[in-house]
């Protein structure tokens, strides 16, 4: 980076216009100017360190670690063994000997390490994929590898006698469905000694066996906590048995990589599914299995929500919770991310991209290659807020090539403005002559050598401010429409399991999210339906998220395209509206209930809010308490902005539309912390109004300085914010209720 570009990056001018008498000194405890200017090493990023396709030696490990700290300003590493030629053998005593050299050197240098749980990726095979190809987990626990749900079907016309052998695998359900009436019959009681004998009634029938079988992939059964516990014994416990003294100090966390339910052809299942389902709900799911593939009539969407929703719950409890609980018990934190986070319909991929992080201390995402992960950052940070988690991780830059410094800064600022506060660079490489996924982010790469220390110090300053415990502030909640996605999903869809299988028409929740960011200039939080039911209360025109740390207060609730919604959710939304809250529905109004037999109640509630929904948002419906509701049939950024303007609310942040301006507002230790970033290539000059018209100090994370502006008399309230391209600032003031 040239000196000229560096100077331009650090140039910015802020002109402040304040109402008199509002300036107050910042308390000294937080933030601390010296700690911001020169953050502690623990705030510096810890990249993944690929030990790639070669034999590693203790001496070279020690040499590289010293150089990475001194020349790059890295604060630690996550060691990732990788490739068929890697040596010494994974989990061998020779492997642990060189690993211990890294731990000892980290202790000497004041670095912290993250325990990567695999040899290659994804997590769960112990070397089976992108390692040496040896499925160590499968060899040790052949019956605990991933399972798949298969459907074996044939057609038959009655009356007749049907005799069939039950296919191989564990029988989950045997169901006959009459093709015209969709009447279903549970045939399980007609099975004896592995064979079915059934007197077929008149009609044309589709007979289906649903079998849970071993998929053949050597990876762990993610839905089975016993299997995952054994995976942890092979990996995490092997490190702890040798390096207990490093846990909780040098080793501060674990990292899992790309588990997913798109494996097993998107039909990941587990042998104990039915037993656990009965334990939770008190009835058998047998007659609902056909809904996983077919329309079964009025029960279709309820059945799919129960079955797909329960599978997602098993996934969260089976894998993520097991890893998280083990980590917590060993005095460290757990993080990781899914694969294919950018799929709009996650039901056969992550299952439920918010809920799979319910039990994880640090939810995460992967910004890799050309995938548009930036459209989904808010979903991951919202999962953290929903379940009271203060940290949000992103593995960033992998397979993006030798990108420019401008893009590197732009990506980082976009992430931190959307709630991420732990960026893990991807990656540095032991063998920098054989980099598989560029860029190689170390001093050895001439493209980055001159400014890498500056960039990592910039990240450390962001981390110092935004990793502090505090709450996110946004006036807008957006319902995560997973119940609609589950209700419309079916297995073996035309898109293929890797891309989500089924393209669900009218899906707009991610568009709504990005219109809010880029076209409206408003931050928001996704609310999971479970969290809306269990953690949210209505009070005086506000929807309150009750968490001990990440509490929030919302003035507006947006329901993106929802065909199916739980009656409990809609009742709470209606209560919010009736108590003066503001509602915006987009594209599709709800018509189906998750709960069985409650569709008409859904329609009645919607009709009570929108007696004439055909108005398509051209006017508002206002109730006696001042609650307002709009429906936007064909939403875009402008119509969403117009709808919010019609509500005439005082939002916490206001500025003229600029798609490159980003912000996040948090309350930390009695201070309002606003982070504003210009992620684009042109200078940005705009007026920003902050609720309460505070008198903030200006903290620049690029150069570490702090400006305490002078008040100007006889001026209009607000802040004129001028930011150079790819530049950002914090505005920090005492918090006032």
């Amino acid at each position: 980076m040239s000196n000229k570009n560096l100077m331009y990056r650090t140039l910015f001018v802020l002109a402040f216009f304040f109402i008199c008498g509002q300036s107050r000194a910042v308390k000294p405890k937080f933030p601390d100017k010296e700690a911001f200017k020169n953050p502690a090493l623990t705030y510096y990023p810890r990249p993944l360190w690929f030990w790639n396709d070669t034999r590693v030696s203790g001496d070279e490990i020690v040499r590289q670690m010293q150089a990475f700290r001194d020349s790059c300003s890295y604060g630690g590493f996550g060691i990732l063994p990788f490739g068929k030629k890697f040596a010494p053998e994974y989990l061998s005593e020779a492997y642990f000997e060189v690993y211990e050299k890294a731990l000892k050197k980290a202790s000497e240098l004041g670095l912290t390490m993250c325990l990567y749980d695999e040899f290659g990726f994804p997590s769960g095979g112990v070397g089976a994929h992108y390692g040496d190809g040896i499925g160590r987990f499968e060899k040790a626990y052949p019956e605990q590898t991933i399972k798949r749900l298969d459907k074996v079907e044939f057609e038959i016309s009655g009356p007749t006698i049907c005799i069939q052998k039950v296919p191989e695998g564990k029988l989950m359900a045997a169901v006959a469905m009459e093709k015209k009436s969709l009447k279903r019959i549970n045939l399980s009681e007609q099975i004896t000694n592995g064979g079915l004998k059934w007197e077929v009634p008149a009609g044309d029938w589709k007979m289906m066996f649903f079998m849970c079988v071993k998929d053949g992939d050597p990876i762990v059964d993610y839905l089975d906590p016993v299997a995952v516990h054994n995976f942890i014994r092979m990996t995490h416990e092997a490190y702890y048995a040798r390096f207990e003294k490093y846990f909780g100090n040098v080793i501060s966390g674990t990292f899992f990589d790309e588990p997913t339910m798109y494996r097993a052809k998107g039909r990941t299942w587990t042998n104990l599914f039915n037993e656990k389902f009965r334990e939770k709900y008190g009835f058998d799911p047998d007659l609902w299995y056909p809904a996983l593939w077919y329309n079964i009539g009025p029960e279709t969407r309820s059945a799919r929500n129960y079955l797909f929703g329960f599978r997602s719950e098993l996934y969260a409890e089976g894998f993520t919770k097991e890893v998280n609980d083990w980590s917590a018990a060993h005095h460290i934190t757990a993080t990781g991310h899914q694969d294919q986070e950018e799929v709009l319909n996650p039901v056969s991929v992550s299952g439920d991209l918010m809920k799979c992080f319910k039990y994880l201390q640090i939810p995460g995402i992967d910004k890799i290659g050309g995938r548009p992960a930036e459209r989904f950052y808010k979903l991951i940070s919202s999962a953290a807020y929903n379940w009271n988690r203060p940290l949000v991780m992103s593995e960033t830059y992998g397979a993006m090539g030798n990108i420019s410094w401008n893009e590197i800064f732009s990506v980082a600022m976009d992430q931190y403005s959307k709630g991420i506060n732990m960026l893990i660079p991807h990656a540095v490489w032991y063998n920098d002559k054989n980099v598989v996924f560029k860029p190689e982010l170390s001093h050895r790469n001439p493209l980055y050598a001159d400014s890498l220390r500056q960039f990592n110090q910039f990240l450390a300053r962001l981390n110092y401010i935004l990793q502090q415990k505090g709450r996110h502030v946004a006036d807008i909640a957006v319902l995560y429409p997973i119940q609609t996605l589950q209700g419309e999903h079916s297995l073996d869809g035309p898109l293929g399991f890797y891309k989500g299988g089924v393209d669900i028409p009218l899906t707009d929740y991610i568009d709504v999210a990005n219109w809010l960011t880029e076209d409206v200039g408003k931050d928001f939080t996704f609310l999971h339906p479970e969290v809306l039911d269990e953690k949210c209360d209505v009070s005086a025109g506000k929807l309150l998220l009750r968490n001990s740390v990440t509490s929030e207060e919302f003035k507006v609730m947006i329901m993106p395209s929802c065909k199916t919604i739980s009656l409990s959710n809609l009742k709470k939304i209606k209560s919010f509206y009736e108590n003066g809250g503001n509602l915006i529905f987009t594209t599709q109004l709800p018509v189906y209930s998750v709960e069985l037999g409650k569709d008409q109640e859904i329609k009645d509630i919607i009709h009570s809010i929108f007696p004439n929904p055909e108005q398509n948002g051209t006017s508002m419906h206002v109730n006696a308490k001042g609650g307002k509701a709009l429906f936007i049939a064909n939403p875009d950024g402008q119509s969403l902005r117009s709808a919010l303007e019609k509500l005439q609310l005082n939002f916490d942040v206001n500025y003229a539309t600029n798609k490159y301006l980003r912000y996040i507002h948090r309350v930390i230790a009695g201070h309002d912390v606003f982070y504003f970033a210009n992620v684009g290539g042109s200078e940005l000059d705009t007026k920003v109004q902050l609720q309460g018209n505070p008198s903030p100090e200006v903290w620049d994370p690029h150069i570490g300085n702090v400006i305490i502006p002078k008040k100007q008399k006889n001026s209009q309230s607000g802040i004129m914010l001028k930011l150079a391209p790819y530049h950002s600032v914090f505005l920090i003031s005492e918090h006032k209720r």
Side-chain angles (χ1 to χ4, degrees):
M1 183 183 298
S2 69
N3 290 333
K4 181 178 179 181
N5 286 339
L6 179 59
M7 289 178 62
Y8 187 56
R9 177 183 288 284
T10 59
L11 282 175
F12 64 95
V13 178
L14 288 161
F16 290 83
F17 302 89
F18 300 113
I19 297 176
C20 293
Q22 292 188 323
S23 180
R24 220 181 251 188
V26 177
K27 295 180 181 179
K29 290 185 179 179
F30 174 84
D32 180 87
K33 294 181 176 62
E34 180 56 31
F36 175 72
K37 185 174 181 64
N38 296 298
L41 193 57
T42 53
Y43 289 113
Y44 281 75
R46 300 184 303 186
L48 292 177
W49 182 14
F50 278 74
W51 285 4
N52 56 312
D53 255 356
T54 191
R55 175 174 289 276
V56 300
S57 72
D59 290 344
E60 179 62 15
I61 287 167
V62 167
R63 187 194 69 78
Q64 288 193 21
M65 291 178 73
Q66 185 80 52
F68 288 150
R69 190 199 69 170
D70 295 347
S71 298
C72 307
S73 292
Y74 283 128
F77 307 96
I79 295 169
L80 197 168
F82 175 80
K84 291 184 179 296
K85 297 178 182 178
F86 171 75
E89 183 183 355
Y90 183 59
L91 300 183
S92 67
E93 288 306 315
Y95 169 80
F96 286 120
E97 286 176 9
V98 295
Y99 201 97
E100 186 169 22
K101 293 245 180 117
L103 294 178
K104 287 181 177 178
K105 187 62 176 177
S107 180
E108 174 192 324
L109 295 175
L111 306 176
T112 54
M113 306 293 282
C114 186
L115 178 60
Y116 187 88
D117 69 354
E118 253 299 342
F119 175 17
F121 49 85
S123 297
V126 196
H129 300 284
Y130 294 97
D132 55 10
I134 299 172
R136 293 168 179 80
F137 180 81
E138 181 183 39
K139 286 188 172 185
Y141 303 101
E143 298 306 313
Q144 294 182 6
T145 55
I146 198 166
K147 309 299 189 299
R148 186 183 71 240
L149 183 66
D150 282 353
K151 171 175 58 68
V152 179
E153 67 179 25
F154 58 92
E155 296 184 356
I156 190 169
S157 296
T160 188
I161 300 294
C162 174
I163 298 175
Q164 283 288 329
K165 181 181 178 181
V166 176
E168 292 185 2
K170 179 171 181 180
L171 178 68
M172 308 307 292
V175 180
M177 184 167 71
E178 207 279 320
K179 293 171 67 175
K180 290 184 179 179
S181 67
L182 302 181
K183 175 183 177 180
R184 283 161 289 129
I185 299 174
N186 190 341
L187 301 178
S188 299
E189 293 182 358
Q190 314 298 320
I191 295 173
T192 57
N193 300 319
L196 168 70
K197 184 178 180 180
W198 176 45
E199 294 184 10
V200 183
D204 296 324
W205 297 83
K206 186 185 293 289
M207 291 184 58
M208 294 165 278
F209 293 103
F210 300 92
M211 313 301 298
C212 189
V213 302
K214 287 181 64 176
D215 177 65
D217 191 318
I219 214 156
V220 67
D221 181 349
Y222 294 126
L223 308 188
D224 180 1
V226 174
V228 174
H229 177 73
N230 286 327
F231 164 68
I232 290 170
R233 286 179 59 191
M234 290 188 70
T235 53
H236 303 68
E237 286 284 356
Y239 289 91
Y240 187 74
R242 292 163 176 83
F243 307 132
E244 178 180 356
K245 68 179 181 181
Y246 292 103
F247 274 69
N249 45 79
V250 175
I251 297 176
S252 63
T254 60
F255 184 102
F256 63 76
D257 204 7
E258 299 188 351
T260 178
M261 287 197 291
Y262 74 60
R263 310 193 82 80
K265 300 180 180 180
R267 291 188 256 124
T268 297
W269 216 252
T270 194
N271 284 338
L272 294 178
F273 187 97
N274 287 9
E275 290 87 337
K276 292 183 176 182
F277 188 96
R278 282 193 293 270
E279 182 180 342
K280 179 177 175 68
Y281 295 111
F283 62 90
D284 290 320
D286 302 46
L287 282 173
W288 281 349
Y289 269 81
L292 296 173
W293 275 268
Y294 301 115
N295 172 29
I296 63 170
E299 296 178 54
T300 301
R301 290 167 180 84
S302 293
R304 289 173 177 174
N305 266 282
Y306 272 99
L307 293 174
F308 287 131
F310 188 63
R311 184 176 71 152
S312 293
E313 189 171 314
L314 291 181
Y315 182 45
E317 293 179 351
F319 185 78
T320 312
K321 188 174 187 297
E322 285 293 312
V323 172
N324 192 81
D325 288 355
W326 184 91
S327 301
H330 293 78
H331 315 296
I332 57 179
T333 58
T335 191
H337 68 87
Q338 303 297 304
D339 193 14
Q340 286 294 93
E341 300 109 322
E342 308 86 2
V343 174
L344 276 175
N345 171 18
V347 180
S348 278
V349 183
S350 60
D352 178 334
L353 189 55
M354 288 189 73
K355 193 167 186 177
C356 64
F357 295 117
K358 177 179 179 179
Y359 303 105
L360 187 64
Q361 190 63 33
I362 309 175
I365 194 169
D366 187 9
K367 173 56 182 172
I368 185 169
R371 298 179 185 177
E374 60 275 5
R375 288 171 55 81
F376 292 78
Y377 293 156
K378 286 291 298 181
L379 207 60
I380 309 304
S381 60
S382 294
Y385 306 148
N386 275 224
W387 283 291
N388 208 30
R389 312 298 190 193
L391 298 177
V392 186
M393 181 276 296
S394 176
E395 177 189 337
T396 310
Y397 305 124
M400 292 180 69
N402 288 320
I403 56 179
S404 69
W405 272 118
N406 284 341
E407 186 171 358
I408 288 173
F409 272 91
S410 181
V411 168
M413 292 187 296
D414 189 41
Q415 291 189 348
Y416 278 78
S417 66
K418 292 176 179 175
I420 290 163
N421 54 12
M422 179 187 289
L423 189 156
I424 296 179
H426 184 304
V428 295
W429 299 74
Y430 181 93
N431 179 4
D432 65 324
K433 307 304 180 189
N434 185 24
V435 175
V436 180
F437 308 111
K438 293 178 180 178
E440 205 283 314
L441 291 169
S442 84
H443 61 288
R444 299 168 299 181
N445 187 338
L447 294 173
Y448 305 120
D450 64 333
S451 298
L452 195 52
R453 293 184 66 185
Q454 174 202 342
F455 174 66
N456 286 333
Q457 189 172 45
F458 163 75
L459 289 182
R461 291 177 182 135
L462 295 186
N463 291 340
Y464 166 70
I465 298 291
L466 294 174
Q467 287 182 6
Q468 304 292 333
K469 186 178 289 187
R471 64 181 180 88
H472 175 240
V473 180
D475 294 312
I476 300 170
V478 178
L479 183 67
Y480 179 44
I482 188 63
Q483 294 166 332
T484 290
L485 301 175
Q486 289 173 164
E488 301 304 308
H489 186 72
S490 58
L491 297 177
D492 295 334
L495 296 181
F497 55 85
Y498 187 71
K499 294 183 178 180
V502 178
D503 182 11
I504 298 174
L506 306 181
T507 300
D508 68 357
Y509 71 104
I510 290 297
D511 286 333
V512 167
N514 287 279
W515 290 330
L516 284 170
T517 298
E518 297 181 9
D519 297 292
V520 184
K522 292 288 180 285
D523 197 7
F524 64 94
T525 297
F526 279 110
L527 281 181
H528 191 278
E530 178 183 296
V531 171
L532 178 58
D533 275 348
E534 297 177 1
K535 292 188 170 191
C536 292
D537 297 325
V538 173
S539 177
K542 291 185 178 180
L543 185 66
L544 309 178
L545 173 58
R546 304 286 194 184
N547 277 330
S548 60
V549 177
T550 59
S551 61
E552 298 204 52
E553 298 182 358
F554 306 110
K555 300 175 182 177
V556 181
M557 182 77 182
I558 297 178
M559 276 62 63
S561 183
C562 288
K563 183 177 283 188
T564 301
I565 190 170
S566 68
L567 181 58
S568 56
N569 267 193
L570 191 56
K571 284 182 175 179
K572 185 161 286 187
I573 290 166
K574 182 185 178 185
S575 174
F576 171 58
Y577 171 61
E578 290 176 339
N579 282 275
N582 300 278
L583 304 180
I584 298 175
F585 289 78
T586 65
T587 305
Q588 166 76 59
L589 292 170
V591 291
Y592 300 110
S593 172
V594 169
E595 298 87 350
L596 283 168
K598 302 295 183 180
D599 292 354
Q600 188 58 49
E601 290 187 55
I602 295 291
K603 295 171 185 175
D604 289 345
I605 291 174
I606 291 299
H607 182 72
S608 73
I609 298 172
F610 294 109
N612 300 299
E614 69 276 5
Q615 293 180 51
N616 297 342
T618 57
S619 65
M620 285 190 301
H621 296 273
V622 183
N623 62 33
K625 291 285 186 73
K628 303 179 182 71
L630 297 96
F631 171 52
I632 311 174
N634 298 294
D636 57 18
Q638 181 55 50
S639 62
L640 192 56
R641 186 180 185 96
S642 296
L644 287 167
E645 288 173 351
K646 283 184 179 181
L647 299 178
Q648 296 182 324
L649 298 174
N650 184 20
F651 290 99
D652 71 318
V653 176
N654 286 289
Y655 55 83
T657 302
N658 189 309
K659 66 181 297 184
Y660 298 109
L661 181 58
R662 304 280 191 274
Y663 80 92
I664 188 170
H665 177 195
R666 296 186 65 208
V667 175
I668 304 171
H671 291 79
D672 282 300
V673 176
F674 297 89
Y675 177 60
F676 284 95
N678 177 7
V679 300
S682 299
E683 186 178 85
L684 187 151
D685 192 347
T686 190
K687 179 181 178 181
V688 175
Q689 291 180 313
L690 306 179
Q691 192 174 55
N693 301 314
S695 304
E697 295 180 346
V698 184
W699 296 56
D700 184 345
H702 299 264
I703 57 178
N705 73 344
V706 177
I707 296 175
I708 304 175
K710 295 181 180 180
K711 289 190 299 181
Q712 296 188 10
K713 296 181 180 180
N714 302 319
S715 59
Q716 189 178 7
S717 173
I719 299 169
M720 292 305 299
L721 183 67
K722 190 172 184 179
L723 291 171
Y726 312 109
H727 202 91
S728 61
V729 293
F730 288 104
L731 304 182
I732 302 176
S733 63
E734 263 193 18
H735 178 62
K736 299 177 182 179
R737 291 293 298 177

